[in-house]
Amino acid sequence: MNALLRRCLLGWLSLTLCVMTTGCWSSYEIQQVDYAKAIGVDFKDGMYHIYVQTLDFASIAKSESSSKNEEAPPIWVGHAEGKTMSLALNELWRASQLHIAWGHVTAIVLAESVLNNKHIKDVFDMLGRFPEARYTTWVYGTRDSLLDILSTASIYNLSPLDSVLHNPLPSYMENSLFAPVLSFELISAHNDQATTTYLPAIALNKDLWLQNKKKHELFLIEGAFFERSGKKFEFLPRSELPGYHWLINNMRRAPLLIQKDNVIYGALSVGLPTIKIKPVIRGDNVTFRIDAKYLTALYEYLIPMSYDEMTRVSEARLKEQIMQTYRNGLERGVDVYGLQEKLYRKDPKLWHKLSGNGEKLILTEDSIEELNIHLIVPYTGKYKRKV
């Protein structure tokens, strides 16, 4: 009798556990899910506009296995608007045919209208409340149409994920002009009054690449947005930032012409910088001393020039580009190189006093007291220099 009762109790317990165990009842089949890969945010006429790029993972898998597909993987873009970010998303869900998964988003693109103090806080406050949201998504600003940006296919009919939008590092390693920014880096810089918030500006270029002699739109970083002392962002095109990258510590490599009196002698690949910026305080007067060292490679040697003259000419040209970029930033009210932060780290009380708690720029054209540039050219390729 005891054995029978024991077996009955065990059977009842097993049945209860089976009923109580939820298993995967709330899960979705992979073909029943819309996977969001990029989000675009605009603000027009008092309304937030949200664009969501979703991709078909089955097509992406095919494109990754072979680059010879006849058709590019399809890209779907949803668009909705609302008075708040949340209302715009709910409007998008209202017409969604499938469950949208947000854990795979790798890029956020902000229109120029969103790049101000209030709207950036609204955007990341809403996105940060999603449990699936990640702080390692790439973030860009843009002046182009968000619909065009999110609808652009990659080269060779590859997956849209193989592009500057979703994976900017390969391009940056080849030409380190404008560093990509992750969302946690943007949030950290934006929340720090003393830090200049920087955002690369992504655009579409129709001229550099052709497909069967037809123009093909591909992504390009056309410049950058910089925050003006806790206010709105200013856009500076690449032409106004010729020396911005020279004072970025993680700069990998960038080209520099060896040019004197309008004659081009060759070209260097400059990289691996060691940069030291020191604020010099004399009472309420603050200036900065900058020391920068670089390792370079000589990849183009057109006209013979002595090593000493080559380094001297190149150092002078690099210094000129740095100062030109600095002056262009001042004209827009922007601390391009983040010099004020160096003062804040050394003497926060003086920084608060001079900047009015971050409300005004304390820099002038004479704020860079000393700029020392030192180039070393240890590599000249397979050919030796003749002199």
Side-chain angles (χ1 to χ4, degrees):
M1 183 68 179
N2 290 337
L4 179 62
L5 179 61
R6 188 180 300 110
R7 284 197 294 271
C8 290
L9 289 174
L10 287 174
W12 177 83
L13 179 60
S14 299
L15 181 62
T16 302
L17 289 175
C18 289
V19 173
M20 294 177 63
T21 303
T22 59
C24 299
W25 294 352
S26 62
S27 66
Y28 294 89
E29 296 292 336
I30 189 172
Q31 69 271 16
Q32 297 175 332
V33 179
D34 241 353
Y35 292 93
K37 290 301 299 178
I39 298 174
V41 184
D42 198 354
F43 187 82
K44 294 184 291 187
D45 302 323
M47 303 284 281
Y48 280 102
H49 291 253
I50 291 184
Y51 297 81
V52 178
Q53 180 194 75
T54 62
L55 303 176
D56 178 5
F57 272 18
S59 297
I60 291 173
K62 291 180 182 177
S63 69
E64 289 178 344
S65 63
S66 173
S67 62
K68 297 180 181 180
N69 292 326
E70 294 181 0
E71 296 182 1
I75 302 174
W76 286 75
V77 178
H79 168 236
E81 60 182 83
K83 291 186 176 180
T84 68
M85 288 279 294
S86 179
L87 290 177
L89 269 181
N90 277 278
E91 185 66 17
L92 185 68
W93 283 326
R94 190 168 69 89
S96 176
Q97 308 300 301
L98 301 171
H99 167 70
I100 300 179
W102 301 95
H104 297 266
V105 173
T106 55
I108 299 172
V109 186
L110 305 178
E112 191 171 16
S113 60
V114 180
L115 295 179
N116 60 59
N117 195 30
K118 176 185 183 302
H119 292 146
I120 282 186
K121 286 184 177 179
D122 289 348
V123 169
F124 285 98
D125 178 79
M126 193 281 295
L127 293 178
R129 293 178 187 273
F130 275 79
E132 296 173 282
R134 300 175 183 270
Y135 289 102
T136 52
T137 55
W138 301 109
V139 188
Y140 307 89
T142 189
R143 301 192 302 164
D144 284 10
S145 161
L146 287 175
L147 181 58
D148 291 343
I149 291 286
L150 299 185
S151 300
T152 299
S154 186
I155 197 170
Y156 303 130
N157 289 341
L158 292 173
S159 160
L161 304 184
D162 296 318
S163 65
V164 170
L165 177 65
H166 293 282
N167 186 18
L169 289 179
S171 176
Y172 180 69
M173 292 299 181
E174 295 295 330
N175 196 358
S176 308
L177 299 185
F178 301 103
V181 172
L182 293 168
S183 57
F184 77 87
E185 294 172 325
L186 175 66
I187 294 170
S188 175
H190 191 258
N191 289 338
D192 188 342
Q193 286 182 311
T195 303
T196 299
T197 307
Y198 151 84
L199 198 59
I202 195 167
L204 295 176
N205 182 276
K206 303 178 182 179
D207 301 320
L208 294 180
W209 288 89
L210 304 177
Q211 181 183 18
N212 298 328
K213 297 184 179 180
K214 296 180 181 179
K215 293 182 179 181
H216 186 79
E217 290 186 332
L218 289 174
F219 295 112
L220 179 75
I221 304 300
E222 65 167 352
F225 292 94
F226 297 90
E227 188 178 16
R228 290 186 57 185
S229 302
K231 301 174 184 177
K232 64 171 292 187
F233 281 68
E234 288 287 336
F235 171 73
L236 276 78
R238 178 183 173 182
S239 60
E240 295 186 22
L241 298 169
Y244 170 71
H245 49 286
W246 299 131
L247 293 186
I248 304 301
N249 276 305
N250 63 353
M251 192 265 292
R252 170 86 175 203
R253 67 180 185 183
L256 178 69
L257 283 178
I258 307 170
Q259 187 173 0
K260 179 182 177 183
D261 300 327
N262 295 322
V263 177
I264 297 177
Y265 290 81
L268 296 173
S269 178
V270 182
L272 302 177
T274 301
I275 299 166
K276 296 180 180 180
I277 302 177
K278 180 182 178 181
V280 179
I281 302 173
R282 302 182 182 92
D284 285 349
N285 183 42
V286 180
T287 56
F288 297 87
R289 291 176 183 167
I290 302 174
D291 293 291
K293 298 180 181 180
Y294 306 86
L295 289 177
T296 68
L298 179 64
Y299 282 133
E300 194 169 25
Y301 192 43
L302 305 177
I303 301 175
M305 175 181 277
S306 69
Y307 180 86
D308 290 339
E309 187 176 9
M310 177 189 298
T311 55
R312 181 180 59 80
V313 169
S314 300
E315 289 169 356
R317 183 171 178 82
L318 196 149
K319 182 176 180 179
E320 177 187 350
Q321 291 182 356
I322 290 175
M323 292 305 301
Q324 183 59 51
T325 300
Y326 173 74
R327 288 189 290 267
N328 290 341
L330 287 185
E331 291 178 2
R332 305 288 189 90
V334 172
D335 177 13
V336 171
Y337 295 121
L339 301 181
Q340 295 183 129
E341 183 187 359
K342 304 298 181 181
L343 172 62
Y344 176 79
R345 303 303 173 195
K346 182 175 182 178
D347 192 338
K349 289 184 178 180
L350 181 60
W351 175 86
H352 281 286
K353 176 183 176 181
L354 298 179
S355 69
N357 297 322
E359 291 297 319
K360 62 181 181 179
L361 194 67
I362 66 174
L363 302 177
T364 67
E365 287 196 10
D366 301 321
S367 291
I368 297 181
E369 174 183 298
E370 191 175 327
L371 175 58
N372 298 313
I373 303 297
H374 183 56
L375 292 180
I376 302 175
V377 189
Y379 182 70
T380 59
K382 293 188 293 183
Y383 300 106
K384 294 182 179 179
R385 289 189 305 106
K386 296 179 181 179
V387 292

